[in-house]
């Protein structure tokens, strides 16, 4: 029997009466169900029947089976074989349109596989998820999620972790097969450094925890048991094998892995030496890069990609507008004055900072130098737009990004044992603490604020940020009088200064001479000291 199924009609269907025809008005005609038997326990058993859906939106073969409970079904003939899977319980669909859509999905699966979709689901449910599958699904999740999609560096770290678990020999084992005892033993026996093995096992724990939540939701919708219910990697946290954050901080300090420039000792000599080093070996771009990293407290990846504001349009093509590109604006007549804008920083947020007077002076020098440098080296268009163009005209990125060698030579120049690029960010934080910057402003400058920090400030708030940033750079440059006098606004008085620092001569270039290009010899440019 076929009719246009509705929720109201299905609710009224019972086994006491069965449809036997359709009257002149198109309504179903019912009659008493003659097929009744009485069991030994005196309960009634009645045969079921199916009412097919004639609605134009329903896939062919869709209907409702009326038995002890009502269920939607779908009947199709695939490769000469009749298949009739259950679509779902009538009570689980508050609208019949949802059941029809589900039936259409099942129909596609039947055509593609030639099998009953419910049977396929049962087979999938009975199969066990391996750690490799967990990582694959977690990686897909990281790349497709809308909030903070994974960066290429995050994916490289994840791939490295997957490689470690392959070496451990359990990547193709199912999660229940990886026992807590085995995990604990392999963790304790690992020859990797503490940080490396913590990263490998924490990542596995996080991936399995994510899958357990996803699997629980999927299992509830499919009315089956979850395929993964326990996280064996959790044993490392339960037994306190992972270091606590304060323990990590203490160990880093004890091992000398954090070496900020001290305002009372090394900050001034560093700035004086850097200002002298800029005149050697074409180091100006690198020195400006390092000094601005110190003045802004930014990460090295954040300001390296900055381009000049005037080379961008308000929106521009994808990835080329002011709202989607890290840039530096030196214009004075805008509402907010000079600023630097970092697009999608490490925490996924955009970050805008005012440019204080001495940083502005340095950036004006930088703009002139970058233009001259581009002309002198014959940079292509992709490099000319950057505030810090790459030294090599064939650079893939087009911008300067690796100050390691230059920072190493400055470290030797001032007699500091260790100094990493991130120590400049820590030095910025140390200076804020020394001069008493309010905690909220400190979090803003370090981009630790929880809210979206772009375009949420009033002009008064922006003015306060500029005032504090001016105080910070003043206090930094007061430790280096020669740099202070070179960058101060013209209406600021000069301060007494010792003779400028004189850097040691650069080391002679080692290795083979540069190859010639045709008949013309390429001028040998000494490498940065």
């Amino acid at each position: 029997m076929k009719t246009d199924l509705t929720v109201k009609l299905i609710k009224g269907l019972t086994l006491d009466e069965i449809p036997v025809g359709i009257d002149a008005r198109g309504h179903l005609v019912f009659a008493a169900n003659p097929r009744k038997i009485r069991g030994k326990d005196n309960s009634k058993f009645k045969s079921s029947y199916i009412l097919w859906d004639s609605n134009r939106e329903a896939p062919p073969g869709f209907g409702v089976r009326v038995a002890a409970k009502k269920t939607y079904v779908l009947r199709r003939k695939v490769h000469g074989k009749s298949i009739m899977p259950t679509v779902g319980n009538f009570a689980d669909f508050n609208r019949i349109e949802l059941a029809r859509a589900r039936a259409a999905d099942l129909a596609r699966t039947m055509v593609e596989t030639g099998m009953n979709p419910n049977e396929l689901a049962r087979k999938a449910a009975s199969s066990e998820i391996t750690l490799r599958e967990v990582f694959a699904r977690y990686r897909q999740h990281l790349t497709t999620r809308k909030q903070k999609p994974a960066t290429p560096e995050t994916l490289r770290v994840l791939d490295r972790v997957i490689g470690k678990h392959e070496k451990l020999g359990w990547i193709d084992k199912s999660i229940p097969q990886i026992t807590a005892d085995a995990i604990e033993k392999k963790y304790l026996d690992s020859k990797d450094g503490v940080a490396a093995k913590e990263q490998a096992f924490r990542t596995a724990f996080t991936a399995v925890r994510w899958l357990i939540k996803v699997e629980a939701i999927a299992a509830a919708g499919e009315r089956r048991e979850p395929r993964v219910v326990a996280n064996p990697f959790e044993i490392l946290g339960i037994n306190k094998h992972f270091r606590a954050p304060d323990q990590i901080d203490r160990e880093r300090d004890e091992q000398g892995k954090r070496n900020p420039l001290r305002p009372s000792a090394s900050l001034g000599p560093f700035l004086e030496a850097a200002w002298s080093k800029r005149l050697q070996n074409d180091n100006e771009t690198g020195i400006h890069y390092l000094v601005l990293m110190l003045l802004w407290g930014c990460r090295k990846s954040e300001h390296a990609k900055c381009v000049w504001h005037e080379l961008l349009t308000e929106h521009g093509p994808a990835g080329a507008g002011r709202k989607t590109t890290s840039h530096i604006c030196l214009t004075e007549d805008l509402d907010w004055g000079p600023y630097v804008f970092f697009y999608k920083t490490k925490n996924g947020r955009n970050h805008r900072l005012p440019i204080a007077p001495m940083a502005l002076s340095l950036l004006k020098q930088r703009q002139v130098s970058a233009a001259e440098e581009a002309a002198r080296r014959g940079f292509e268009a992709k490099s000319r737009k950057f505030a810090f163009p790459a030294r090599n005209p064939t650079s893939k990125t087009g911008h300067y990004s690796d100050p390691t060698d230059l920072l190493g030579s400055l470290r030797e120049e001032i007699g500091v044992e260790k100094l990493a690029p991130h120590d400049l960010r820590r030095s910025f934080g140390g200076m804020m603490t020394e001069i008493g910057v309010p905690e909220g402003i400190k979090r803003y400058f370090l981009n630790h604020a929880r809210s979206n920090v772009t375009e949420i400030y009033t002009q008064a708030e922006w003015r306060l940020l500029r005032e504090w940033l001016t105080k910070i750079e003043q206090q930094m440059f007061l430790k280096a009088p020669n740099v202070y006098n070179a960058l101060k606004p013209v209406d600021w008085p000069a301060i007494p200064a010792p003779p400028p620092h004189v850097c040691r001569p650069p080391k002679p270039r080692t290795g083979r001479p540069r190859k010639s290009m045709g008949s013309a010899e390429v001028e040998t440019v000494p490498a940065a000291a």
Side-chain angles (χ1 to χ4, degrees):
M1 186 73 66
K2 269 191 174 186
T3 190
D4 190 349
L5 293 181
T6 63
V7 171
K8 182 178 180 180
L9 171 64
I10 296 172
K11 283 183 178 179
L13 298 175
T14 68
L15 279 176
D16 291 325
E17 292 183 323
I18 60 173
V20 294
I22 299 176
D23 62 17
R25 295 177 298 171
H27 296 164
L28 288 173
V29 177
F30 292 86
N33 186 353
R35 292 176 291 179
K36 296 182 182 180
I37 62 175
R38 188 174 298 276
K40 292 181 180 179
D41 59 352
N42 209 34
S43 61
K44 293 183 178 180
F45 293 83
K46 306 177 183 180
S47 60
S48 64
Y49 64 88
I50 298 174
L51 193 59
W52 304 106
D53 192 1
S54 63
N55 189 282
R56 293 177 58 184
E57 300 298 323
F62 174 71
V64 62
R65 176 192 282 123
V66 181
K69 63 180 179 179
K70 299 164 188 173
T71 54
Y72 290 115
V73 295
L74 177 71
R75 185 167 66 187
R76 283 290 178 90
K77 200 169 208 178
V78 182
H79 305 313
K81 181 174 65 173
S82 180
I83 303 174
M84 190 166 68
T86 299
V87 175
N89 291 332
F90 166 71
D92 293 338
F93 296 88
N94 57 1
R95 292 187 298 134
I96 195 170
E97 291 82 6
L98 299 177
R100 289 168 180 156
R102 171 65 177 158
D105 291 338
L106 294 180
R108 283 190 289 270
T109 302
M110 292 162 68
V111 171
E112 291 169 1
T113 65
M115 296 183 66
N116 188 320
N118 293 348
E119 183 180 345
L120 291 175
R122 283 192 294 271
K123 287 183 178 180
S126 64
S127 65
E128 295 180 326
I129 300 176
T130 64
L131 184 58
R132 186 186 298 279
E133 184 182 349
V134 173
F135 278 131
R137 291 175 62 177
Y138 184 61
R139 194 182 196 280
Q140 177 70 10
H141 158 68
L142 292 180
T143 57
T144 57
R145 64 187 183 186
K146 294 300 181 183
Q147 292 186 22
K148 295 182 66 175
T151 63
E153 178 58 28
T154 299
L155 297 178
R156 279 194 293 271
V157 170
L158 179 59
D159 291 340
R160 187 164 62 243
V161 165
I162 294 172
K164 289 182 182 294
H165 286 280
E166 285 183 333
K167 291 179 180 178
L168 289 172
W170 55 26
I171 192 76
D172 289 315
K173 288 186 176 182
S174 67
I175 302 303
Q177 289 177 320
I178 305 174
T179 65
D181 289 342
I183 290 171
E184 199 163 17
K185 185 177 186 306
K186 286 185 182 290
Y187 181 84
L188 295 174
D189 293 345
S190 174
K191 303 301 182 184
D192 290 338
V194 177
K197 68 181 183 180
E198 279 188 348
Q199 182 184 64
F201 284 82
R202 279 185 185 273
T203 303
F205 164 76
T206 302
V208 175
R209 181 181 61 182
W210 169 83
L211 182 96
I212 287 173
K213 294 179 179 179
V214 172
E215 177 64 11
I217 296 172
E222 297 168 11
R223 295 185 176 275
R224 59 173 174 82
E225 291 297 319
R227 296 157 69 188
V228 180
V229 295
N231 189 345
F233 291 92
E234 192 172 4
I235 191 65
L236 298 175
I238 293 172
N239 287 344
K240 308 296 183 184
H241 288 302
F242 293 141
R243 295 171 297 169
D246 58 344
Q247 183 181 356
I248 295 174
D249 290 341
R250 184 174 64 252
E251 289 179 3
R252 285 175 174 171
D253 290 337
E254 292 171 353
Q255 296 168 7
K257 292 184 177 180
R258 291 177 173 174
N259 301 278
L261 297 165
R262 302 186 182 281
S264 59
S266 51
L267 178 58
F270 171 82
L271 287 169
E272 291 281 1
W275 202 244
S276 173
K277 180 72 75 172
R278 86 189 197 285
L279 303 176
Q280 279 186 357
N281 267 18
D282 203 13
N283 282 326
E284 187 177 54
T285 296
I287 293 299
H288 286 173
Y289 175 95
L290 290 172
V291 172
L292 286 167
M293 187 175 176
L294 175 64
L295 293 179
W296 292 335
C298 59
R299 302 173 182 89
K300 66 178 183 179
S301 60
E302 291 174 350
H303 71 319
K305 299 176 288 188
C306 282
V307 303
W308 299 111
H309 168 273
E310 57 269 26
L311 300 182
L312 299 170
T313 59
E314 182 64 25
H315 299 285
R322 291 172 190 155
K323 294 185 177 180
T324 55
T325 307
S326 296
H327 62 273
I328 295 170
C329 175
L330 305 184
T331 308
E332 296 281 1
D333 58 358
L334 294 176
D335 291 338
W336 309 105
Y339 67 85
V340 59
F341 175 79
F342 302 131
Y343 177 65
K344 281 192 178 179
T345 58
K346 182 180 179 181
N347 57 27
R349 295 189 296 261
N350 299 333
H351 187 46
R352 191 186 301 267
L353 284 174
I355 296 176
M358 285 190 274
L360 180 63
S361 177
L362 187 149
L363 282 165
K364 288 180 177 178
Q365 295 180 24
R366 172 97 295 270
Q367 197 166 46
V368 174
S369 298
E372 292 176 350
E373 193 173 346
R376 183 174 72 253
R377 291 181 176 163
F379 284 155
E380 296 180 0
K382 72 173 184 179
S383 295
R384 293 192 184 104
K385 63 184 180 181
F386 291 109
F388 309 99
R391 295 184 54 156
N392 187 344
T394 62
S395 165
K396 291 182 180 180
T397 63
H399 60 74
Y400 184 92
S401 59
D402 188 5
T404 305
D405 291 341
L406 182 56
L407 199 57
S409 68
L410 288 170
R411 177 179 54 78
E412 294 176 2
E413 191 73 39
I414 63 175
V416 172
E417 185 177 352
K418 295 181 180 180
L419 186 64
H422 206 72
D423 287 326
L424 300 182
R425 177 173 166 86
R426 298 186 182 107
S427 304
F428 177 82
M431 178 57 74
M432 287 196 291
T433 299
E434 180 169 286
I435 66 175
V437 176
E439 194 61 33
I441 292 178
K442 186 187 296 186
R443 286 199 306 270
Y444 179 92
F445 285 154
L446 291 174
N447 196 15
H448 289 165
R450 293 185 179 275
S451 59
N452 190 328
V453 296
T454 305
E455 310 291 359
I456 63 169
Y457 25 70
T458 65
Q459 289 194 1
E461 291 169 336
W462 185 251
R463 183 168 59 251
L464 184 62
L465 293 174
R466 189 182 299 280
E467 289 172 359
W468 274 112
L469 207 52
T470 300
K471 291 177 183 177
I472 293 168
E473 74 169 20
Q474 279 181 323
Q475 291 302 312
M476 285 186 175
F477 284 131
L478 283 172
K479 310 294 182 182
N482 288 292
V483 188
Y484 181 97
N485 291 336
L487 294 177
K488 70 174 184 62
V490 293
D491 56 340
W492 290 12
I495 61 174
H501 180 94
V502 178
C503 288
R504 288 171 287 184
K507 296 177 182 178
R509 181 183 178 85
T510 59
R512 294 184 296 176
R514 295 181 184 273
K515 294 181 180 180
S516 61
M517 296 177 61
S519 59
E521 293 293 328
V522 177
E523 180 185 358
T524 300
V525 180

